[in-house]
Amino acid sequence: MDGMTAYLAAGCLVGVVVAGLTLRWWRDRSAAARRQQQRYGDGNRRDPRRIEVGDIVEIGDATYSVRGSIRLVEGEWRWAEHLLDDRDEHGARRRLSVAESPGFELVLWESVPRDAAVTPGAPEVESGGRRYSWHESGQARYTASGATDLTSSGTMRYHDYRAPGGARLTFEAYGEAGWAMARGERLGSDGVTVHPQNRS
């Protein structure tokens, strides 16, 4: 085999590999789109990234209505905090955070009284018998809708912490308000079902 023939053979091989990878990517993308359509395409369920005020959210055995939504942006990061009302009006105040970018993530948060001895921004904090390590801090712009007790737009500061096993802890301060604390648990997408509000 001379040099030209070897060069052409190598070029054909590369073309076949690229075509195969492109076909595989297209099939995977199509399959993901079909799964998404099967899950949310019946009109009775909504993608959690599209939650609106008034929607009904099922998490495990609990059912909540969305009383307010806060949408936040910090650089390339986008996420939403949906304030939940227990339909039976029992339990602590909860909210569902939905990260849209750069990765999809669902976390169920429960507000807890802030221990004055805990300092937001410290390398480690302890709450509820668990030790949490600092993960990230920042400031985001927000827009609010529904019953949030916030102005329609403004800024929010935060300090986020994590513990082994996926447990979360956060400190948040909206506008000039003081720090509020919440503990969170990461959820699988299959554990959350969203029913669109009744528009009739």
Side-chain angles (χ1 to χ4, degrees):
M1 180 181 295
D2 61 25
M4 180 60 71
T5 304
Y7 180 77
L8 291 173
C12 290
L13 180 59
V14 169
V16 169
V17 170
V18 169
L21 291 174
T22 301
L23 180 61
R24 180 176 179 181
W25 173 83
W26 182 257
R27 286 179 177 168
D28 289 347
R29 183 178 175 189
S30 298
R34 284 195 300 273
R35 287 194 298 270
Q36 194 81 339
Q37 179 66 24
Q38 289 170 357
R39 184 165 188 197
Y40 304 121
D42 61 3
N44 296 318
R45 288 181 289 181
R46 187 192 300 282
D47 186 326
R49 287 167 288 198
R50 304 293 179 262
I51 290 177
E52 297 179 8
V53 174
D55 286 350
I56 302 300
V57 178
E58 295 178 3
I59 302 174
D61 296 329
T63 301
Y64 308 93
S65 61
V66 178
R67 63 182 176 86
S69 292
I70 308 166
R71 302 189 185 277
L72 302 111
V73 178
E74 181 186 8
E76 67 175 1
W77 298 81
R78 296 177 181 274
W79 72 99
E81 303 275 353
H82 301 291
L83 310 184
L84 307 177
D85 271 339
D86 190 329
R87 297 185 76 185
D88 295 326
E89 298 183 357
H90 294 136
R93 296 182 66 178
R94 296 180 175 88
R95 68 180 189 269
L96 177 69
S97 67
V98 183
E100 300 180 58
S101 63
F104 179 53
E105 181 180 77
L106 300 168
V107 178
L108 179 63
W109 298 94
E110 182 174 325
S111 299
V112 293
R114 185 178 159 224
D115 185 343
V118 176
T119 304
E124 290 188 338
V125 298
E126 189 168 336
S127 177
R130 302 186 81 161
R131 184 170 292 278
Y132 296 82
S133 298
W134 178 88
H135 177 66
E136 61 185 359
S137 300
Q139 179 171 294
R141 298 286 306 174
Y142 77 82
T143 56
S145 59
T148 65
D149 297 325
L150 297 172
T151 58
S152 60
S153 63
T155 58
M156 183 271 280
R157 296 168 292 141
Y158 65 90
H159 295 285
D160 285 347
Y161 292 79
R162 295 185 179 182
R168 309 292 174 87
L169 183 74
T170 189
F171 298 89
E172 295 179 345
Y174 284 86
E176 300 302 317
W179 293 105
M181 189 170 79
R183 286 196 288 261
E185 174 188 357
R186 186 171 181 179
L187 304 173
S189 58
D190 292 340
V192 177
T193 302
V194 181
H195 300 281
Q197 59 183 315
N198 188 347
R199 289 176 165 64
S200 60

